[in-house]
Amino acid sequence: MQLGMKEMWRQRRRYSLIFVITLLIVLLTTLITGLADGLAYDNGASIRELDAETFHLTADADGRLTRSFIERAPTDTMTPLAVKPLTFGNETKQDATLFAIPAASSVGPTLDLAVGEVLVDPSFLGTLAVGDTVDDFASGYRFTIVGTTEGRFSHAPVVWTTMETWDAYQQVAGGPVYVSAWLGEGDTPLSTFTKQEIIEAVPGYSAEQGTFTMMRGFLLVIGAFILTAFFYMVTLQKLPELGILKAIGIRTRTIGTALVSQVMLTVILASGLAALFTAFMAEVVPAAIPFQFDVANALLYSTLFFIISLAGTLLPLYTLRRLDAADALGGRMK
Amino acid sequence: MRLTAIHHAYEQPILSGVNLTVSPGECIAIVGPSGSGKSTLLQILGLLKRPDAGTLHLGPVDVFTLDEEARRKLRLNEIGFVFQDAHLVPYLTVMEQLELVQAETGLATDSRRLLTDLGLGHRLNELPNRLSGGERQRVAIARALVNDPSLILADEPTASLDYVNGRLVMERLAAAAHEDGKRVIVITHDERMLDVCDRVLRLRDGQLETL
């Protein structure tokens, strides 16, 4: 191992090049992961923040809150949740999702609100201010903004209100009186979903995350290929030198360990620096860009890259193992 | 060390029944025209190549009956190599070149003293690219000696050196035989260096003859 470290340190110009390339690839992976995590959070933040793990929806809703229409029935153990995308329109139109829970419930934000009052995500405010009113474009129901609380759903701001306001709104809007889901444990004729299943059913969530996962996968494989190609080329360049080492009796394991340790150090350093930079980015990017640094994900992708890169060392290791010292010396001991 | 009836051919026979016995403390020079098979012979002596036929006894064992790992250990512990261009590891200092071999053998030879005896005491922490050709070749000799081998093989060790440095190298190799009791076999084209050896052999038509 020391042999490999000494080589890297004393030939740093050669190895810094591959380090920079590796760092950029890992960094690209972690930045994309940060964006994917940010978008994933942005897509289902309001669901994620709910203090409930079990959701009961109608079977035909396929886990989509906005497709589930349940006749409201009294229950002591479960909490109703109503979710409806609305277009608000005063001077300009703005999309948001209305979330309603009972005022006394503890599953969501504290809602000490009178009928018609709402709390909105800060991004909803724009030119509006606390105290302003906004109308539902379709029904004309008027809501009064009395405060802000963070909440996003399907990349749109969430407007939080109480069930009393939801009922009042439904009377104005017409149509059936319903809620979207019951939260909590209990027997219902409805279909049961976990929180993660509800998040994954948010429109666009799976397609979006699938795209990012594919990008990350390709980046990992491309990175590992580049790393393998580099160390393979370096091994080929060093064949006469490695032949000498084998000729004087140095074990293949000693030489191979040096090679593997070089790959390990390159990937570990690059992953560490990339994680630090991504954590820094998460702190400095504007709030408008959904970006999150998740330590577990950074570790996961670093570990995957590490494993793929180690697999990539099999080729140069095979070359090393097959190396005939006499051939490497060029047929002559010169 | 006893080499018996060695035959080897590439497209044509290059060694045809080579016999050679080298005693401890003996320094032998092998000369011969290019393509006569000198390097092939040295590779066979260095256990880097198996001949088509013949035996090589280092002690009671025919080394060609051993597997690759056993031959590697023999190379490490019993044979010291000196190559034409020294072939030092470019990223290791003079001292580390020897420590690399010592780490494999576990032998606690005084490498600092060995290098000092070879006039390299002031160059211990230098990398090979900062040494002269003569210094590099002396480091290669030290590397060959550090595992205290019984046999030293040198292939054109003076080819890239001027006369003075070449002479120093040859005298040090001869001293390894005469003072330390090693068996030393040197392949050389440089006739000015032959006088330091005890015997000079010519490889011609695939066989060794005494000059």
Side-chain angles (χ1 to χ4, degrees):
Chain A
M1 193 159 177
Q2 266 193 330
L3 189 65
M5 300 301 103
K6 280 176 183 164
E7 182 181 10
M8 287 183 91
W9 177 244
R10 289 177 181 154
Q11 301 198 331
R12 15 187 204 279
R13 199 178 296 173
R14 173 194 271 186
Y15 285 94
S16 60
L17 176 69
I18 187 61
F19 175 73
V20 168
I21 292 171
T22 307
L23 174 63
L24 289 176
I25 288 169
V26 179
L27 191 57
L28 198 53
T29 310
T30 54
L31 287 178
I32 284 180
T33 302
L35 275 173
D37 289 343
L39 283 168
Y41 188 82
D42 196 60
N43 228 342
S46 288
I47 307 294
R48 241 181 260 276
E49 300 293 328
L50 286 176
D51 187 16
E53 295 303 321
T54 308
F55 293 67
H56 304 269
L57 281 71
T58 55
D60 60 355
D62 292 331
R64 285 199 181 186
L65 289 168
T66 51
R67 280 189 191 164
S68 178
F69 302 90
I70 307 165
E71 278 188 28
R72 199 164 159 191
T75 172
D76 293 332
T77 58
M78 290 190 280
T79 306
L81 168 69
V83 177
K84 185 174 187 182
L86 296 179
T87 300
F88 294 90
N90 284 355
E91 291 169 5
T92 56
K93 291 192 177 65
Q94 190 170 356
D95 292 327
T97 307
L98 187 66
F99 269 58
I101 53 173
S105 170
S106 60
V107 299
T110 304
L111 300 174
D112 188 13
L113 307 173
V115 174
E117 291 181 340
V118 291
L119 299 177
V120 300
D121 182 73
S123 66
F124 181 82
L125 284 175
T127 58
L128 298 168
V130 173
D132 287 351
T133 58
V134 285
D135 297 339
D136 170 39
F137 183 75
S139 66
Y141 187 85
R142 176 157 293 177
F143 297 93
T144 304
I145 302 169
V146 296
T148 61
T149 185
E150 301 230 332
R152 308 275 301 174
F153 182 80
S154 195
H155 299 314
V158 163
V159 172
W160 280 98
T161 193
T162 60
M163 274 296 160
E164 289 72 25
T165 301
W166 172 248
D167 292 340
Y169 160 75
Q170 285 197 105
Q171 281 178 7
V172 174
V177 176
Y178 71 97
V179 295
S180 305
W182 287 100
L183 312 184
E185 302 298 332
D187 287 331
T188 68
L190 303 166
S191 294
T192 304
F193 298 88
T194 63
K195 182 187 278 186
Q196 186 58 31
E197 286 169 338
I198 295 295
I199 291 170
E200 286 173 8
V202 172
Y205 181 94
S206 294
E208 189 178 270
Q209 290 301 309
T211 305
F212 281 121
T213 301
M214 193 178 71
M215 287 167 73
R216 282 180 284 198
F218 271 111
L219 275 173
L220 290 177
V221 173
I222 290 168
F225 262 114
I226 291 173
L227 211 57
T228 301
F230 177 83
F231 280 102
Y232 182 59
M233 294 302 290
V234 167
T235 305
L236 290 183
Q237 281 177 354
K238 290 195 301 188
L239 281 185
E241 178 187 315
L242 300 177
I244 295 290
L245 291 177
K246 287 190 86 169
I248 65 175
I250 306 298
R251 282 174 299 177
T252 303
R253 183 189 295 176
T254 303
I255 309 168
T257 303
L259 173 72
V260 172
S261 67
Q262 289 171 342
V263 176
M264 283 165 59
L265 184 71
T266 303
V267 174
I268 289 171
L269 276 182
S271 299
L273 268 178
L276 281 178
F277 186 77
T278 308
F280 170 73
M281 286 294 288
E283 295 298 320
V284 299
V285 292
I289 300 173
F291 192 95
Q292 280 211 329
F293 175 67
D294 185 75
V295 176
N297 263 346
L299 268 176
L300 171 71
Y301 283 98
S302 297
T303 308
L304 278 176
F305 192 60
F306 185 74
I307 292 168
I308 297 172
S309 301
L310 276 186
T313 60
L314 289 176
L315 182 61
L317 282 178
Y318 177 75
T319 307
L320 179 65
R321 188 174 170 74
R322 299 272 299 171
L323 174 65
D324 186 308
D327 287 345
L329 293 169
R332 280 183 53 82
M333 285 174 44
K334 64 183 177 182
Chain B
M1 191 219 78
R2 186 158 40 86
L3 195 66
T4 310
I6 295 293
H7 289 263
H8 197 72
Y10 294 111
E11 287 170 1
Q12 293 181 344
I14 192 159
L15 300 175
S16 310
V18 172
N19 296 296
L20 176 66
T21 302
V22 186
S23 305
E26 194 175 20
C27 178
I28 293 177
I30 298 177
V31 297
S34 292
S36 61
K38 300 188 301 295
S39 289
T40 300
L41 179 60
L42 215 64
Q43 287 179 358
I44 290 169
L45 286 165
L47 319 187
L48 296 171
K49 189 184 284 292
R50 282 180 195 270
D52 295 339
T55 60
L56 170 60
H57 284 84
L58 286 177
V61 184
D62 174 13
V63 296
F64 297 134
T65 61
L66 302 175
D67 64 15
E68 171 54 31
E69 177 58 14
R71 282 186 285 131
R72 180 195 68 78
K73 284 181 181 167
L74 265 179
R75 282 202 303 274
L76 179 67
N77 295 308
E78 296 298 330
I79 303 174
F81 292 90
V82 180
F83 304 103
Q84 182 175 324
D85 297 319
H87 276 302
L88 303 177
V89 182
Y91 46 85
L92 294 183
T93 64
V94 167
M95 193 70 178
E96 288 165 350
Q97 305 281 341
L98 275 63
E99 287 170 349
L100 175 67
V101 179
Q102 284 181 304
E104 292 287 307
T105 57
L107 210 60
T109 321
D110 189 347
S111 49
R112 185 181 294 267
R113 185 184 179 129
L114 183 58
L115 288 163
T116 304
D117 287 348
L118 283 160
L120 293 162
H122 62 301
R123 308 291 264 165
L124 298 182
N125 296 315
E126 295 290 354
L127 291 170
N129 62 0
R130 296 182 60 91
L131 302 176
S132 69
E135 287 174 325
R136 277 200 291 271
Q137 204 57 292
R138 276 183 280 154
V139 176
I141 291 175
R143 184 175 67 180
L145 290 171
V146 75
N147 57 354
D148 194 25
S150 59
L151 172 65
I152 293 176
L153 301 173
D155 190 7
E156 303 279 9
T158 62
S160 52
L161 303 180
D162 58 31
Y163 176 76
V164 174
N165 277 303
R167 190 79 192 172
L168 278 172
V169 164
M170 283 298 289
E171 284 173 353
R172 188 62 191 85
L173 286 170
H178 301 147
E179 295 170 19
D180 304 331
K182 318 270 182 217
R183 300 171 176 88
V184 177
I185 301 175
V186 183
I187 283 181
T188 181
H189 273 105
D190 195 342
E191 294 188 358
R192 296 173 300 173
M193 306 292 176
L194 298 179
D195 60 304
V196 302
C197 293
D198 304 311
R199 274 196 286 160
V200 178
L201 306 173
R202 183 193 302 278
L203 187 60
R204 191 160 65 179
D205 299 330
Q207 296 198 323
L208 283 174
E209 57 186 39
T210 304
L211 284 183

